[in-house]
PDB file of all heavy atoms in Angstrom:
ATOM      1  N   GLN A   1     -29.226  29.371 -18.488  1.00  0.00           N
ATOM      2  CA  GLN A   1     -28.657  29.381 -19.822  1.00  0.00           C
ATOM      3  C   GLN A   1     -29.530  30.221 -20.759  1.00  0.00           C
ATOM      4  O   GLN A   1     -30.749  30.061 -20.798  1.00  0.00           O
ATOM      5  CB  GLN A   1     -28.568  27.948 -20.368  1.00  0.00           C
ATOM      6  CG  GLN A   1     -27.623  27.044 -19.590  1.00  0.00           C
ATOM      7  CD  GLN A   1     -26.160  27.288 -19.925  1.00  0.00           C
ATOM      8  OE1 GLN A   1     -25.830  28.187 -20.707  1.00  0.00           O
ATOM      9  NE2 GLN A   1     -25.294  26.497 -19.324  1.00  0.00           N
ATOM     10  N   LEU A   2     -28.902  31.122 -21.508  1.00  0.00           N
ATOM     11  CA  LEU A   2     -29.609  31.997 -22.429  1.00  0.00           C
ATOM     12  C   LEU A   2     -29.589  31.489 -23.871  1.00  0.00           C
ATOM     13  O   LEU A   2     -30.132  32.138 -24.761  1.00  0.00           O
ATOM     14  CB  LEU A   2     -29.022  33.410 -22.391  1.00  0.00           C
ATOM     15  CG  LEU A   2     -29.044  34.123 -21.031  1.00  0.00           C
ATOM     16  CD1 LEU A   2     -28.480  35.538 -21.177  1.00  0.00           C
ATOM     17  CD2 LEU A   2     -30.453  34.153 -20.450  1.00  0.00           C
ATOM     18  N   GLY A   3     -28.938  30.362 -24.090  1.00  0.00           N
ATOM     19  CA  GLY A   3     -28.887  29.797 -25.433  1.00  0.00           C
ATOM     20  C   GLY A   3     -27.714  30.317 -26.237  1.00  0.00           C
ATOM     21  O   GLY A   3     -26.656  30.651 -25.707  1.00  0.00           O
ATOM     22  N   ILE A   4     -27.912  30.405 -27.547  1.00  0.00           N
ATOM     23  CA  ILE A   4     -26.862  30.823 -28.476  1.00  0.00           C
ATOM     24  C   ILE A   4     -27.305  32.075 -29.221  1.00  0.00           C
ATOM     25  O   ILE A   4     -28.375  32.101 -29.833  1.00  0.00           O
ATOM     26  CB  ILE A   4     -26.555  29.702 -29.490  1.00  0.00           C
ATOM     27  CG1 ILE A   4     -26.098  28.425 -28.774  1.00  0.00           C
ATOM     28  CG2 ILE A   4     -25.500  30.165 -30.498  1.00  0.00           C
ATOM     29  CD1 ILE A   4     -25.977  27.233 -29.685  1.00  0.00           C
ATOM     30  N   ALA A   5     -26.476  33.109 -29.134  1.00  0.00           N
ATOM     31  CA  ALA A   5     -26.743  34.341 -29.884  1.00  0.00           C
ATOM     32  C   ALA A   5     -25.921  34.330 -31.159  1.00  0.00           C
ATOM     33  O   ALA A   5     -24.746  33.926 -31.159  1.00  0.00           O
ATOM     34  CB  ALA A   5     -26.399  35.570 -29.038  1.00  0.00           C
ATOM     35  N   ARG A   6     -26.510  34.748 -32.238  1.00  0.00           N
ATOM     36  CA  ARG A   6     -25.799  34.828 -33.503  1.00  0.00           C
ATOM     37  C   ARG A   6     -24.914  36.076 -33.557  1.00  0.00           C
ATOM     38  O   ARG A   6     -25.022  36.979 -32.746  1.00  0.00           O
ATOM     39  CB  ARG A   6     -26.805  34.800 -34.664  1.00  0.00           C
ATOM     40  CG  ARG A   6     -27.626  33.526 -34.712  1.00  0.00           C
ATOM     41  CD  ARG A   6     -26.743  32.301 -34.725  1.00  0.00           C
ATOM     42  NE  ARG A   6     -27.437  31.058 -34.419  1.00  0.00           N
ATOM     43  CZ  ARG A   6     -26.828  29.924 -34.142  1.00  0.00           C
ATOM     44  NH1 ARG A   6     -25.510  29.883 -34.080  1.00  0.00           N
ATOM     45  NH2 ARG A   6     -27.510  28.831 -33.880  1.00  0.00           N
ATOM     46  N   ASP A   7     -24.045  36.121 -34.576  1.00  0.00           N
ATOM     47  CA  ASP A   7     -23.082  37.206 -34.671  1.00  0.00           C
ATOM     48  C   ASP A   7     -23.710  38.447 -35.313  1.00  0.00           C
ATOM     49  O   ASP A   7     -23.327  38.886 -36.406  1.00  0.00           O
ATOM     50  CB  ASP A   7     -21.863  36.745 -35.483  1.00  0.00           C
ATOM     51  CG  ASP A   7     -20.993  35.767 -34.716  1.00  0.00           C
ATOM     52  OD1 ASP A   7     -20.892  35.922 -33.489  1.00  0.00           O
ATOM     53  OD2 ASP A   7     -20.422  34.857 -35.341  1.00  0.00           O
ATOM     54  N   SER A   8     -24.677  38.998 -34.615  1.00  0.00           N
ATOM     55  CA  SER A   8     -25.241  40.268 -35.029  1.00  0.00           C
ATOM     56  C   SER A   8     -25.547  41.059 -33.772  1.00  0.00           C
ATOM     57  O   SER A   8     -25.912  40.502 -32.736  1.00  0.00           O
ATOM     58  CB  SER A   8     -26.539  40.072 -35.841  1.00  0.00           C
ATOM     59  OG  SER A   8     -27.612  39.690 -35.019  1.00  0.00           O
ATOM     60  N   ARG A   9     -25.381  42.366 -33.871  1.00  0.00           N
ATOM     61  CA  ARG A   9     -25.617  43.198 -32.693  1.00  0.00           C
ATOM     62  C   ARG A   9     -27.058  43.068 -32.216  1.00  0.00           C
ATOM     63  O   ARG A   9     -27.313  43.025 -31.017  1.00  0.00           O
ATOM     64  CB  ARG A   9     -25.288  44.661 -33.014  1.00  0.00           C
ATOM     65  CG  ARG A   9     -25.381  45.569 -31.797  1.00  0.00           C
ATOM     66  CD  ARG A   9     -25.028  47.008 -32.105  1.00  0.00           C
ATOM     67  NE  ARG A   9     -23.648  47.114 -32.563  1.00  0.00           N
ATOM     68  CZ  ARG A   9     -22.966  48.271 -32.569  1.00  0.00           C
ATOM     69  NH1 ARG A   9     -23.544  49.371 -32.153  1.00  0.00           N
ATOM     70  NH2 ARG A   9     -21.739  48.316 -33.016  1.00  0.00           N
ATOM     71  N   GLU A  10     -27.994  42.972 -33.143  1.00  0.00           N
ATOM     72  CA  GLU A  10     -29.411  42.870 -32.785  1.00  0.00           C
ATOM     73  C   GLU A  10     -29.687  41.618 -31.974  1.00  0.00           C
ATOM     74  O   GLU A  10     -30.398  41.655 -30.955  1.00  0.00           O
ATOM     75  CB  GLU A  10     -30.283  42.903 -34.046  1.00  0.00           C
ATOM     76  CG  GLU A  10     -30.247  44.198 -34.842  1.00  0.00           C
ATOM     77  CD  GLU A  10     -28.947  44.364 -35.624  1.00  0.00           C
ATOM     78  OE1 GLU A  10     -28.271  43.324 -35.875  1.00  0.00           O
ATOM     79  OE2 GLU A  10     -28.616  45.509 -35.962  1.00  0.00           O
ATOM     80  N   ASP A  11     -29.126  40.477 -32.416  1.00  0.00           N
ATOM     81  CA  ASP A  11     -29.401  39.230 -31.697  1.00  0.00           C
ATOM     82  C   ASP A  11     -28.706  39.207 -30.338  1.00  0.00           C
ATOM     83  O   ASP A  11     -29.250  38.696 -29.353  1.00  0.00           O
ATOM     84  CB  ASP A  11     -28.956  38.035 -32.537  1.00  0.00           C
ATOM     85  CG  ASP A  11     -29.659  36.751 -32.109  1.00  0.00           C
ATOM     86  OD1 ASP A  11     -30.868  36.809 -31.798  1.00  0.00           O
ATOM     87  OD2 ASP A  11     -28.998  35.690 -32.059  1.00  0.00           O
ATOM     88  N   LEU A  12     -27.523  39.792 -30.290  1.00  0.00           N
ATOM     89  CA  LEU A  12     -26.823  39.880 -28.989  1.00  0.00           C
ATOM     90  C   LEU A  12     -27.609  40.739 -28.008  1.00  0.00           C
ATOM     91  O   LEU A  12     -27.810  40.354 -26.854  1.00  0.00           O
ATOM     92  CB  LEU A  12     -25.425  40.439 -29.198  1.00  0.00           C
ATOM     93  CG  LEU A  12     -24.390  39.494 -29.791  1.00  0.00           C
ATOM     94  CD1 LEU A  12     -23.169  40.259 -30.257  1.00  0.00           C
ATOM     95  CD2 LEU A  12     -23.985  38.424 -28.770  1.00  0.00           C
ATOM     96  N   VAL A  13     -28.072  41.900 -28.475  1.00  0.00           N
ATOM     97  CA  VAL A  13     -28.825  42.794 -27.592  1.00  0.00           C
ATOM     98  C   VAL A  13     -30.112  42.100 -27.125  1.00  0.00           C
ATOM     99  O   VAL A  13     -30.515  42.212 -25.966  1.00  0.00           O
ATOM    100  CB  VAL A  13     -29.148  44.110 -28.318  1.00  0.00           C
ATOM    101  CG1 VAL A  13     -30.157  44.937 -27.523  1.00  0.00           C
ATOM    102  CG2 VAL A  13     -27.875  44.908 -28.550  1.00  0.00           C
ATOM    103  N   ARG A  14     -30.755  41.358 -28.032  1.00  0.00           N
ATOM    104  CA  ARG A  14     -31.991  40.648 -27.659  1.00  0.00           C
ATOM    105  C   ARG A  14     -31.715  39.613 -26.576  1.00  0.00           C
ATOM    106  O   ARG A  14     -32.478  39.495 -25.608  1.00  0.00           O
ATOM    107  CB  ARG A  14     -32.583  39.970 -28.890  1.00  0.00           C
ATOM    108  CG  ARG A  14     -33.906  39.228 -28.633  1.00  0.00           C
ATOM    109  CD  ARG A  14     -34.483  38.677 -29.916  1.00  0.00           C
ATOM    110  NE  ARG A  14     -33.635  37.648 -30.485  1.00  0.00           N
ATOM    111  CZ  ARG A  14     -33.677  36.361 -30.107  1.00  0.00           C
ATOM    112  NH1 ARG A  14     -34.498  35.976 -29.124  1.00  0.00           N
ATOM    113  NH2 ARG A  14     -32.884  35.481 -30.678  1.00  0.00           N
ATOM    114  N   HIS A  15     -30.638  38.868 -26.710  1.00  0.00           N
ATOM    115  CA  HIS A  15     -30.292  37.861 -25.691  1.00  0.00           C
ATOM    116  C   HIS A  15     -29.857  38.529 -24.390  1.00  0.00           C
ATOM    117  O   HIS A  15     -30.205  38.059 -23.297  1.00  0.00           O
ATOM    118  CB  HIS A  15     -29.193  36.938 -26.211  1.00  0.00           C
ATOM    119  CG  HIS A  15     -29.696  35.840 -27.090  1.00  0.00           C
ATOM    120  ND1 HIS A  15     -29.950  36.002 -28.424  1.00  0.00           N
ATOM    121  CD2 HIS A  15     -30.023  34.542 -26.797  1.00  0.00           C
ATOM    122  CE1 HIS A  15     -30.382  34.864 -28.947  1.00  0.00           C
ATOM    123  NE2 HIS A  15     -30.444  33.959 -27.982  1.00  0.00           N
ATOM    124  N   PHE A  16     -29.093  39.619 -24.480  1.00  0.00           N
ATOM    125  CA  PHE A  16     -28.671  40.296 -23.257  1.00  0.00           C
ATOM    126  C   PHE A  16     -29.882  40.817 -22.475  1.00  0.00           C
ATOM    127  O   PHE A  16     -29.867  40.850 -21.233  1.00  0.00           O
ATOM    128  CB  PHE A  16     -27.735  41.456 -23.579  1.00  0.00           C
ATOM    129  CG  PHE A  16     -26.374  41.037 -24.066  1.00  0.00           C
ATOM    130  CD1 PHE A  16     -25.594  41.885 -24.832  1.00  0.00           C
ATOM    131  CD2 PHE A  16     -25.869  39.790 -23.752  1.00  0.00           C
ATOM    132  CE1 PHE A  16     -24.338  41.507 -25.283  1.00  0.00           C
ATOM    133  CE2 PHE A  16     -24.608  39.388 -24.199  1.00  0.00           C
ATOM    134  CZ  PHE A  16     -23.838  40.255 -24.967  1.00  0.00           C
ATOM    135  N   ALA A  17     -30.922  41.204 -23.163  1.00  0.00           N
ATOM    136  CA  ALA A  17     -32.118  41.693 -22.477  1.00  0.00           C
ATOM    137  C   ALA A  17     -32.769  40.613 -21.624  1.00  0.00           C
ATOM    138  O   ALA A  17     -33.468  40.911 -20.648  1.00  0.00           O
ATOM    139  CB  ALA A  17     -33.120  42.229 -23.506  1.00  0.00           C
ATOM    140  N   MET A  18     -32.540  39.354 -21.986  1.00  0.00           N
ATOM    141  CA  MET A  18     -33.103  38.238 -21.224  1.00  0.00           C
ATOM    142  C   MET A  18     -32.418  38.090 -19.866  1.00  0.00           C
ATOM    143  O   MET A  18     -32.902  37.355 -19.002  1.00  0.00           O
ATOM    144  CB  MET A  18     -32.963  36.937 -22.019  1.00  0.00           C
ATOM    145  CG  MET A  18     -33.723  36.929 -23.334  1.00  0.00           C
ATOM    146  SD  MET A  18     -33.172  35.619 -24.481  1.00  0.00           S
ATOM    147  CE  MET A  18     -33.340  34.164 -23.460  1.00  0.00           C
ATOM    148  N   ALA A  19     -31.297  38.773 -19.674  1.00  0.00           N
ATOM    149  CA  ALA A  19     -30.537  38.666 -18.430  1.00  0.00           C
ATOM    150  C   ALA A  19     -30.683  39.896 -17.557  1.00  0.00           C
ATOM    151  O   ALA A  19     -29.810  40.193 -16.740  1.00  0.00           O
ATOM    152  CB  ALA A  19     -29.071  38.415 -18.748  1.00  0.00           C
ATOM    153  N   ALA A  20     -31.787  40.623 -17.707  1.00  0.00           N
ATOM    154  CA  ALA A  20     -31.953  41.887 -16.995  1.00  0.00           C
ATOM    155  C   ALA A  20     -31.911  41.705 -15.471  1.00  0.00           C
ATOM    156  O   ALA A  20     -31.500  42.619 -14.739  1.00  0.00           O
ATOM    157  CB  ALA A  20     -33.274  42.541 -17.405  1.00  0.00           C
ATOM    158  N   ASP A  21     -32.329  40.542 -14.974  1.00  0.00           N
ATOM    159  CA  ASP A  21     -32.364  40.330 -13.527  1.00  0.00           C
ATOM    160  C   ASP A  21     -31.128  39.608 -13.004  1.00  0.00           C
ATOM    161  O   ASP A  21     -31.064  39.251 -11.831  1.00  0.00           O
ATOM    162  CB  ASP A  21     -33.620  39.544 -13.139  1.00  0.00           C
ATOM    163  CG  ASP A  21     -33.629  38.150 -13.752  1.00  0.00           C
ATOM    164  OD1 ASP A  21     -32.886  37.911 -14.723  1.00  0.00           O
ATOM    165  OD2 ASP A  21     -34.399  37.293 -13.257  1.00  0.00           O
ATOM    166  N   ALA A  22     -30.152  39.375 -13.859  1.00  0.00           N
ATOM    167  CA  ALA A  22     -28.957  38.631 -13.444  1.00  0.00           C
ATOM    168  C   ALA A  22     -27.981  39.530 -12.695  1.00  0.00           C
ATOM    169  O   ALA A  22     -27.820  40.705 -13.013  1.00  0.00           O
ATOM    170  CB  ALA A  22     -28.279  38.004 -14.658  1.00  0.00           C
ATOM    171  N   ASP A  23     -27.319  38.961 -11.711  1.00  0.00           N
ATOM    172  CA  ASP A  23     -26.226  39.665 -11.044  1.00  0.00           C
ATOM    173  C   ASP A  23     -24.980  39.665 -11.922  1.00  0.00           C
ATOM    174  O   ASP A  23     -24.199  40.610 -11.901  1.00  0.00           O
ATOM    175  CB  ASP A  23     -25.907  38.998  -9.709  1.00  0.00           C
ATOM    176  CG  ASP A  23     -27.075  39.022  -8.751  1.00  0.00           C
ATOM    177  OD1 ASP A  23     -27.431  40.114  -8.294  1.00  0.00           O
ATOM    178  OD2 ASP A  23     -27.644  37.946  -8.481  1.00  0.00           O
ATOM    179  N   ILE A  24     -24.792  38.581 -12.647  1.00  0.00           N
ATOM    180  CA  ILE A  24     -23.629  38.454 -13.531  1.00  0.00           C
ATOM    181  C   ILE A  24     -24.094  37.895 -14.869  1.00  0.00           C
ATOM    182  O   ILE A  24     -24.761  36.851 -14.922  1.00  0.00           O
ATOM    183  CB  ILE A  24     -22.569  37.497 -12.939  1.00  0.00           C
ATOM    184  CG1 ILE A  24     -22.228  37.883 -11.492  1.00  0.00           C
ATOM    185  CG2 ILE A  24     -21.321  37.500 -13.800  1.00  0.00           C
ATOM    186  CD1 ILE A  24     -21.377  36.836 -10.766  1.00  0.00           C
ATOM    187  N   LEU A  25     -23.753  38.594 -15.925  1.00  0.00           N
ATOM    188  CA  LEU A  25     -23.994  38.100 -17.280  1.00  0.00           C
ATOM    189  C   LEU A  25     -22.665  37.615 -17.823  1.00  0.00           C
ATOM    190  O   LEU A  25     -21.695  38.370 -17.895  1.00  0.00           O
ATOM    191  CB  LEU A  25     -24.559  39.207 -18.158  1.00  0.00           C
ATOM    192  CG  LEU A  25     -24.565  38.933 -19.672  1.00  0.00           C
ATOM    193  CD1 LEU A  25     -25.438  37.741 -20.006  1.00  0.00           C
ATOM    194  CD2 LEU A  25     -25.027  40.171 -20.440  1.00  0.00           C
ATOM    195  N   VAL A  26     -22.609  36.352 -18.198  1.00  0.00           N
ATOM    196  CA  VAL A  26     -21.390  35.769 -18.762  1.00  0.00           C
ATOM    197  C   VAL A  26     -21.650  35.445 -20.223  1.00  0.00           C
ATOM    198  O   VAL A  26     -22.547  34.665 -20.540  1.00  0.00           O
ATOM    199  CB  VAL A  26     -20.968  34.495 -18.017  1.00  0.00           C
ATOM    200  CG1 VAL A  26     -19.665  33.945 -18.606  1.00  0.00           C
ATOM    201  CG2 VAL A  26     -20.798  34.759 -16.535  1.00  0.00           C
ATOM    202  N   SER A  27     -20.874  36.056 -21.105  1.00  0.00           N
ATOM    203  CA  SER A  27     -20.940  35.725 -22.521  1.00  0.00           C
ATOM    204  C   SER A  27     -19.663  34.980 -22.908  1.00  0.00           C
ATOM    205  O   SER A  27     -18.600  35.207 -22.339  1.00  0.00           O
ATOM    206  CB  SER A  27     -21.100  36.982 -23.381  1.00  0.00           C
ATOM    207  OG  SER A  27     -19.989  37.838 -23.216  1.00  0.00           O
ATOM    208  N   ILE A  28     -19.808  34.070 -23.850  1.00  0.00           N
ATOM    209  CA  ILE A  28     -18.671  33.255 -24.278  1.00  0.00           C
ATOM    210  C   ILE A  28     -18.470  33.470 -25.766  1.00  0.00           C
ATOM    211  O   ILE A  28     -19.352  33.183 -26.576  1.00  0.00           O
ATOM    212  CB  ILE A  28     -18.931  31.756 -23.976  1.00  0.00           C
ATOM    213  CG1 ILE A  28     -19.218  31.557 -22.494  1.00  0.00           C
ATOM    214  CG2 ILE A  28     -17.727  30.926 -24.412  1.00  0.00           C
ATOM    215  CD1 ILE A  28     -19.690  30.150 -22.156  1.00  0.00           C
ATOM    216  N   GLY A  29     -17.286  33.997 -26.122  1.00  0.00           N
ATOM    217  CA  GLY A  29     -16.969  34.270 -27.520  1.00  0.00           C
ATOM    218  C   GLY A  29     -17.277  35.692 -27.901  1.00  0.00           C
ATOM    219  O   GLY A  29     -17.993  36.433 -27.193  1.00  0.00           O
TER     220      GLY A  29
END
């Protein structure tokens, strides 16, 4: 679980970077 990203491009990009080693990144919303 990567937690909750706020509705800003910067926060989304920061959270997406935490999934660099994932085979599948699933975002909700």
Side-chain angles (χ1 to χ4, degrees):
Q1 296 282 3
L2 301 182
I4 301 172
R6 299 306 165 193
D7 288 325
S8 74
R9 186 179 298 198
E10 294 75 20
D11 201 39
L12 285 166
V13 170
R14 182 175 65 84
H15 278 83
F16 289 157
M18 297 163 55
D21 63 342
D23 298 292
I24 309 169
L25 167 62
V26 182
S27 62
I28 303 171

